[in-house]
Amino acid sequence: MSLIKLHDKTFEPYVTAVQLQEIVARVADEIYQDLGDSRPVFVCILNGSFMFAADLVRRYKGLCELSFVKMASYEGTQSSGKIHHLIGLSDDLEGKDVVVIEDIVDTGNTLEEIYRIFADKKVHSFRIATLFFKPDAYTKDLKIDYVGKPIPNRFIVGYGLDYDELGRNLPEVYQLNTSLTMTNIVLFGKPGAGKGTQAAFLKEKYGLVHISTGDIFRYHIKNETELGRLVRSYTDRGDLVPDDVTIKMLQEEVAKNPDAKGFIFDGFPRTIAQAEALDAFLASKDMKIHGTLALEADDEVLVERIIGRGKVSGRADDQDETKIRNRFAEYNEKTAPLIAYYQQQGKYYPIDGIGSIEEITQRLSQAIDLIKSK
Ligand code: IMP
Ligand code: MG
């Protein structure tokens, strides 16, 4: 197995044909343990489930029936929105033990429709078997009786699953190779160096998702979410938010954007420990940091800028010169060692942060283009 290309995207090997057979055999046994010789009706949801269904029933040790249906939808009235139905669904399922066979459950929207459609069929029992399940993407409470393999929130193809109709015939499963196409950037700089302003331009230009830990914390505090209250319990005492809280929040933000072309991390990492935690988390998602851009500017210029900004925004910590210089001191002490950390990995790009906004965007873009070409 090696990389494959479908349309514009590259996919890498994920689950081998042998592993798939092991998974399928296990699911078939689990179902047999529950239903044995009660002659269940397997309802295969086309197109994606055709291979899974074919292998599953071959492994099923008892008698069973097999039916193939296809989900279709038509516009209902405005209030009902799209109405889904299953083409080919037999009307004599009454009293039967039904097992719906799905290829993958993602958000669970399709599953919800299936549950609704079967609600009035007077079946004896109703079960769901899915080959793949994305718990991070799942938004419903509906029961899934048999799960072949829970997977991260990443796009997969093969063994019935398609990317725009290609890939269904592959005997193994591949996942979208994001590390080849992604560009993940850490944006560094002292307070006032213009990170937020520049991130806004870069995000537009390169289609990246901007994750500012400061902005997210402020959002959660303002909206009094659970995370916001947790964060305040530290900041109210003058303590820093512990790394595991911040990392968990980052994980959620990354999980919300599974198709992102890349991320701009702004305000994180601030310490070597955080940089190591970020690397470990990204590695677990088959991702990495491609480059660190550091906006450099003289302290005196920055102090003037921040005080000017504080007058406009009213942010109290932006109006007190002593506090600003304290933030610089903290930056120097904790964050400056990160320069060496990223230099050693050949990922450090210092950027002259003095000049017009356009000039600085230009310099940052040059660095990103260089990073992308590597
Ligand atoms: P849900 O309604 O969001 O649970 O999505 C279910 C449907 O989305 C599946 O039946 C697939 O057709 C499609 N889908 C979700 N994730 C993937 C994937 O990773 N690869 C291919 N198709 C997917
Ligand atoms: Mg499908």
Side-chain angles (χ1 to χ4, degrees), residues 50-70:
F50 81 99
M51 264 202 211
F52 176 40
D55 284 342
L56 187 75
V57 295
R58 240 185 297 214
R59 297 280 187 157
Y60 194 74
K61 296 195 183 85
L63 295 174
C64 65
E65 293 177 31
L66 183 55
S67 143
F68 294 90
V69 300
K70 196 167 171 133

Side-chain angles (χ1 to χ4, degrees), residues 1-14 134 154-158 161-167 170 172-181 259 286:
M1 283 172 88
S2 53
L3 294 180
I4 53 158
K5 202 164 160 110
L6 302 175
H7 298 294
D8 58 330
K9 295 198 167 23
T10 309
F11 294 83
E12 63 193 358
Y14 183 45
K134 297 182 181 169
R154 295 270 297 273
F155 194 80
I156 59 171
V157 291
L161 290 150
D162 71 309
Y163 167 49
D164 205 3
E165 293 307 327
L166 291 183
L170 296 164
E172 55 278 300
V173 169
Y174 291 76
Q175 69 177 346
L176 185 61
N177 186 320
T178 41
S179 61
L180 279 183
T181 49
D259 301 324
D286 228 349

Side-chain angles (χ1 to χ4, degrees), residues 305-319:
R305 254 197 223 168
I306 296 177
I307 291 178
R309 180 176 84 180
K311 280 187 187 133
V312 179
S313 73
R315 240 177 87 179
D317 58 345
D318 277 358
Q319 294 180 56

Side-chain angles (χ1 to χ4, degrees), residues 2-51:
S2 53
L3 294 180
I4 53 158
K5 202 164 160 110
L6 302 175
H7 298 294
D8 58 330
K9 295 198 167 23
T10 309
F11 294 83
E12 63 193 358
Y14 183 45
V15 190
T16 65
V18 172
Q19 287 166 335
L20 284 167
Q21 291 314 312
E22 286 166 6
I23 293 168
V24 173
R26 200 202 70 230
V27 173
D29 285 347
E30 283 175 19
I31 299 172
Y32 185 71
Q33 271 167 27
D34 290 346
L35 291 171
D37 295 313
S38 69
R39 294 196 187 195
V41 182
F42 288 107
V43 178
C44 167
I45 313 283
L46 295 173
N47 294 328
S49 308
F50 81 99
M51 264 202 211

Side-chain angles (χ1 to χ4, degrees), residues 27 30-31 34-35 99 127-131 144-148:
V27 173
E30 283 175 19
I31 299 172
D34 290 346
L35 291 171
V99 182
R127 291 177 171 82
I128 304 284
T130 186
L131 178 57
I144 305 174
D145 301 83
Y146 311 99
V147 172

Side-chain angles (χ1 to χ4, degrees), residues 183-253:
T183 313
N184 298 314
I185 301 288
V186 173
L187 199 53
F188 262 139
K190 286 184 188 168
K195 295 196 301 280
T197 312
Q198 293 299 335
F201 282 110
L202 298 176
K203 146 182 155 182
E204 276 300 310
K205 180 160 180 190
Y206 294 98
L208 305 176
V209 176
H210 177 206
I211 301 187
S212 157
T213 44
D215 286 350
I216 300 170
F217 281 146
R218 279 188 286 277
Y219 170 87
H220 282 279
I221 290 171
K222 186 165 161 241
N223 290 285
E224 295 181 358
T225 65
E226 202 180 319
L227 179 64
R229 280 190 290 272
L230 179 64
V231 168
R232 279 202 55 175
S233 71
Y234 295 101
T235 53
D236 279 355
R237 277 182 270 138
D239 293 337
L240 290 173
V241 180
D243 290 352
D244 56 339
V245 174
T246 312
I247 280 283
K248 189 164 167 283
M249 185 192 75
L250 281 178
Q251 286 175 347
E252 279 169 20
E253 294 300 315

